[in-house]
């Protein structure tokens, strides 16, 4: 009986000792947590530095250490909690580093699809196609309208590169487009998205429609060729003015000014009609451009070399004359793989001055790859991009299953494009010429300041004085250095006319 009492007392004593250890454990863990902030992954160890300290002697010290010992499970739990705390601290630090003005998402995330968006525009009062800070551009207006219409999400509205926006061709200040293509990733869930985009655009910019394309589609690199049109009044081919020639011969360069065009002269110019011989000369001259040539003299000086100035021209056609508001006009159409900066305008400007003096056509061949000279740049008013072509891409997609990717073509929108071109482009060109006499002023300028164009002569001899020397500026009207038509401060860039 006494033996049973002894065993029961021993069991009770052991129970009290175990309860004491469990009660002390949370406090011990908390103490260890505050003592080891630098090593969250290392759990406290119960191995003493001195093995003898664990022996059950030395005033009960061994008993105290045994009461505070941790099991493996408890050490793992401690380490897990420390890691969780540290991760939470890091997350909080990252959130503090982020800007606090980020708008909260107020709309569900909608899928984006790669599309080719087709549009047209009148470039008057715009600083070209490509977006440019602090400038009014076609791309800037388009992207803003797409964001407002929901075609671009709020998260991507601050930067058009987020939707991979790319244009098929760049256009210069004041240049128009009946057909232009931009590729981008766009939200197309709304079946009326085109109408909504147009509702946020000015009348002189219209989106015709879009088509789904491959994810790898790039409107610039996959464009096979571009077709441009140039409208000009035929009076620009009239013989040189005697008054302008007198000013150029007798007045110092810095003191010259353009003479006023009298009402009688203006009536004579509007009544001018090109003869069949003149038309044939013009058609033959533009035909010389066909094929592959070195067009280094038909672009800007800076950045142009023999290695990057060759271009292939498919054709350059001249329409029959058409009378618009009493004046005779011609439509020139050129198709090429790509064009350099101002190339088309310089090609037109050269033929105008050659036709006025009936210069032999061999001069054009001489200028292909010859010493650098300043070729006159015709006004941007008459130039418009008719359409970029994607024949290769369309052949590739035509062999795929129906409904996967569409053809990049303007044909479905031909009626709307023709009406827009007549109202907002053709009429604008003619009305601007009538009111501002843009072509008349340009012709007079080339006659009053002919020094840089002396190479346009019937002997086809290029004078030394007309050769452009890199780093040497030529005189400008008003006595300042530089050259109005050379644009030597611009970079060579494809498809910007």
């Amino acid at each position: 009986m006494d033996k049973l009492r002894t065993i029961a007392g021993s069991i009770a004593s052991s129970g009290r000792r175990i309860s004491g250890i469990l009660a002390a454990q949370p406090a011990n863990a908390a103490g260890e947590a505050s003592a080891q902030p630098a090593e969250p992954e290392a759990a406290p160890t119960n191995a003493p530095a001195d093995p003898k300290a664990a022996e059950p002697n030395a005033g009960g010290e061994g008993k105290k250490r045994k009461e505070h010992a941790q099991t493996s499970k408890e050490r793992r739990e401690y380490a897990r909690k420390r890691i969780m705390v540290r991760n939470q601290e890091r997350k909080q630090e990252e959130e503090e580093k982020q800007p606090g003005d980020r708008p909260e998402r107020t709309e569900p995330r909608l899928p984006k699809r790669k599309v080719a968006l087709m549009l047209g525009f009148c470039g008057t009062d715009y600083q070209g196609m490509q977006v440019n800070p602090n400038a009014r551009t076609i791309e800037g207006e388009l992207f803003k309208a797409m964001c407002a219409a929901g075609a671009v999400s709020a998260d991507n509205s601050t930067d058009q590169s987020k939707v991979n926006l790319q244009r098929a061709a760049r256009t210069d200040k004041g240049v128009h487009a009946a057909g232009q293509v931009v590729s981008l990733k766009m939200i197309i869930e709304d079946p009326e998205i085109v109408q909504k985009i147009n509702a946020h655009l000015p009348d002189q910019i219209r989106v015709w429609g879009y088509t789904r394309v491959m994810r790898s589609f790039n409107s610039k690199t996959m464009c096979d060729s571009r077709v441009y049109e140039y409208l000009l009044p035929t009076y620009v081919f009239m013989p040189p003015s005697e008054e302008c020639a007198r000013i150029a011969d007798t007045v110092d360069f810095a003191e010259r000014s353009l003479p006023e065009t009298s009402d009688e002269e203006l009536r004579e110019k509007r009544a001018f009609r090109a003869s069949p011989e003149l038309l044939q000369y013009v058609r033959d001259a533009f035909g010389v451009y066909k094929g592959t040539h070195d067009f280094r003299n038909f672009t800007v000086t800076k950045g142009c070399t023999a290695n990057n100035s060759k271009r292939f021209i498919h054709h350059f056609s001249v329409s029959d004359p058409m009378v618009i508001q009493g004046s005779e006009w011609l439509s020139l159409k050129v198709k090429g793989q790509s064009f350099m900066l101002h190339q088309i305008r310089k090609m037109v400007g050269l033929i105008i001055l050659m036709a006025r003096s009936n210069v032999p056509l061999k001069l054009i061949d001489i200028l292909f790859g010859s010493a650098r000279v300043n070729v006159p740049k015709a006004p941007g008013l008459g130039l418009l991009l008719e359409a970029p072509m994607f024949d290769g891409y369309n052949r590739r997609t035509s062999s795929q299953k129906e409904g996967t990717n569409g053809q990049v073509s303007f044909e479905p929108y031909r009626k709307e494009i023709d009406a827009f071109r007549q109202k907002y482009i053709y009429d604008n060109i003619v009305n601007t010429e009538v009111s501002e006499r843009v072509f008349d002023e340009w012709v007079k300028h080339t006659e009053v300041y002919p020094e840089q164009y002396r190479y346009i002569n019937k002997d086809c001899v290029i004078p030394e004085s007309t050769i452009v020397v890199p780093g040497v500026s030529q005189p400008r009207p008003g006595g300042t250095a530089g050259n109005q038509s050379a644009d030597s401060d611009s970079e060579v860039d494809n498809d910007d006319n």
Side-chain angles (χ1 to χ4, degrees):
M1 195 65 176
D2 292 337
K3 189 174 182 179
L4 291 174
R5 291 192 185 96
T6 302
I7 293 173
S10 178
I11 293 173
S13 177
S14 298
R16 287 192 297 271
R17 186 165 59 250
I18 293 172
S19 299
I21 293 174
L22 293 177
Q25 185 62 40
N28 181 46
E32 293 293 340
S34 62
Q36 301 182 22
E39 299 291 341
E41 65 275 6
T45 177
N46 60 353
D50 185 0
K52 294 182 180 180
E55 296 179 0
N57 50 25
E61 183 178 354
K63 180 180 179 180
K64 183 179 180 180
R65 287 183 181 276
K66 285 183 179 180
E67 290 178 352
H68 287 276
Q70 290 181 319
T71 65
S72 297
K73 181 178 180 180
E74 290 165 344
R75 286 197 298 271
R76 288 195 300 270
E77 182 66 17
Y78 164 79
R80 185 184 68 81
K81 290 181 179 180
R82 283 299 302 150
I83 292 174
M84 289 177 61
V85 171
R86 186 56 183 162
N87 288 343
Q88 184 66 27
E89 290 174 351
R90 289 175 180 173
K91 183 178 179 180
Q92 198 169 17
E93 291 173 0
E94 291 295 328
E95 290 177 350
E96 291 175 354
K97 292 179 182 179
Q98 295 176 356
D101 58 350
R102 173 177 289 182
E104 296 183 0
R105 183 180 298 278
T106 58
E107 56 184 13
R109 184 184 294 274
L110 297 175
K112 300 187 294 290
R113 309 298 182 189
K114 194 66 173 288
V115 302
L117 190 73
M118 285 152 278
L119 67 149
F121 55 84
C122 173
T124 303
D125 299 329
Y126 287 93
Q127 302 295 313
M129 173 70 187
Q130 189 175 19
V131 67
N132 191 6
N134 303 320
R136 191 178 184 222
T137 65
I138 301 298
E139 256 182 23
E141 294 283 346
L142 175 64
F143 189 69
K144 183 170 61 176
M146 294 178 69
C147 294
V152 175
S153 66
D155 289 343
N156 296 330
S157 62
T158 58
D159 186 0
Q160 65 185 41
S161 65
K162 291 184 178 181
V163 293
N164 297 339
L165 192 147
Q166 181 64 262
R167 81 288 312 166
R170 294 173 57 179
T171 55
D172 202 3
K173 175 183 176 181
V175 177
H176 321 289
Q180 169 70 296
V181 174
V182 296
S183 56
L184 76 156
K185 293 184 291 185
M186 190 173 85
I187 300 172
I188 57 175
E189 301 297 310
D190 189 343
E192 297 182 353
I193 190 61
V194 172
Q195 291 84 346
K196 291 183 178 179
I197 295 174
N198 282 329
H200 292 281
L201 285 172
D203 291 341
Q204 64 192 88
I205 305 176
R206 292 290 92 181
V207 171
W208 309 128
Y210 68 87
T211 183
R212 289 279 303 275
V213 292
M214 300 177 182
R215 285 183 295 178
S216 60
F217 181 84
N218 183 304
S219 59
K220 181 177 180 179
T221 58
M222 292 190 175
C223 181
D224 304 310
S225 57
R226 287 95 176 163
V227 179
Y228 282 88
E229 183 178 11
Y230 194 95
L231 291 182
L232 79 168
T234 58
Y235 75 75
V236 297
F237 298 118
M238 293 175 65
S241 166
E242 294 182 0
E243 176 63 16
C244 290
R246 183 194 65 78
I247 295 174
D249 292 338
T250 60
V251 181
D252 289 341
F253 189 92
E255 298 177 359
R256 298 175 197 170
S257 61
L258 304 186
E260 291 290 334
T261 300
S262 65
D263 292 339
E264 181 180 354
E265 291 174 327
L266 186 59
R267 285 193 296 269
E268 182 181 353
K269 290 181 177 182
R270 290 183 176 176
F272 177 80
R273 300 294 183 263
S275 65
E277 293 78 16
L278 175 59
L279 287 174
Q280 189 59 51
Y281 175 93
V282 172
R283 289 187 171 113
D284 292 341
F286 281 111
V288 177
Y289 290 129
K290 184 178 178 181
T292 301
H293 302 286
D294 187 343
F295 286 95
R296 71 179 70 177
N297 274 320
F298 296 85
T299 186
V300 296
T301 305
K302 188 176 181 181
C304 178
T305 67
N307 296 327
N308 63 8
S309 57
K310 288 186 178 181
R311 293 294 186 274
F312 176 71
I313 304 299
H314 293 269
H315 65 77
F316 210 138
S317 62
V318 179
S319 72
D320 292 331
M322 48 191 172
V323 177
I324 306 174
Q325 296 189 20
S327 298
E328 187 178 67
W329 291 73
L330 291 178
S331 170
L332 317 175
K333 288 192 178 182
V334 56
K335 180 180 180 181
Q337 286 183 335
S338 63
F339 298 93
M340 294 183 290
L341 183 65
H342 305 321
Q343 179 182 340
I344 295 175
R345 293 167 63 184
K346 285 177 174 285
M347 293 164 75
V348 173
L350 176 65
I351 302 304
I352 291 176
L353 295 196
M354 289 179 60
R356 290 170 64 83
S357 301
N358 198 26
V359 173
L361 300 185
K362 69 177 182 179
L363 176 63
I364 304 174
D365 290 315
I366 293 174
L367 294 181
F368 287 146
S370 71
R372 288 305 302 260
V373 295
N374 285 325
V375 174
K377 181 177 63 177
L381 174 66
L383 182 63
L384 66 134
L385 172 64
E386 181 169 297
M389 311 299 289
F390 297 88
D391 297 334
Y393 175 82
N394 288 340
R395 285 193 298 268
R396 180 180 175 186
T397 56
S398 63
S399 62
Q400 296 180 343
K401 294 181 179 179
E402 185 177 355
T404 53
N405 293 294
Q407 301 278 295
V408 183
S409 172
F410 291 92
E411 287 308 314
Y413 320 104
R414 183 57 55 197
K415 184 177 179 180
E416 297 92 327
I417 292 175
D418 290 343
F420 177 87
R421 176 165 42 194
Q422 182 64 51
K423 180 178 180 180
Y424 289 98
I425 299 179
Y426 288 168
D427 289 353
N428 177 274
I429 292 173
V430 174
N431 293 333
T432 302
E433 165 57 23
V434 170
S435 61
E436 301 180 16
R437 304 176 186 179
V438 175
F439 285 93
D440 182 41
E441 293 294 305
W442 180 84
V443 168
K444 289 189 296 185
H445 189 279
T446 62
E447 293 181 342
V448 172
Y449 304 97
E451 283 79 4
Q452 54 193 325
Y453 310 128
R454 298 290 189 191
Y455 61 88
I456 305 178
N457 56 72
K458 292 187 177 181
D459 295 329
C460 299
V461 175
I462 300 180
E464 192 74 23
S465 60
T466 63
I467 297 177
V468 175
V469 179
V472 178
S473 298
Q474 293 188 333
R476 248 187 198 173
T480 59
N483 182 277
Q484 191 172 19
S485 65
D487 298 307
S488 58
D489 58 339
S490 301
E491 295 284 355
V492 172
D493 199 346
N494 290 343
D495 309 309
D496 191 349
N497 286 278

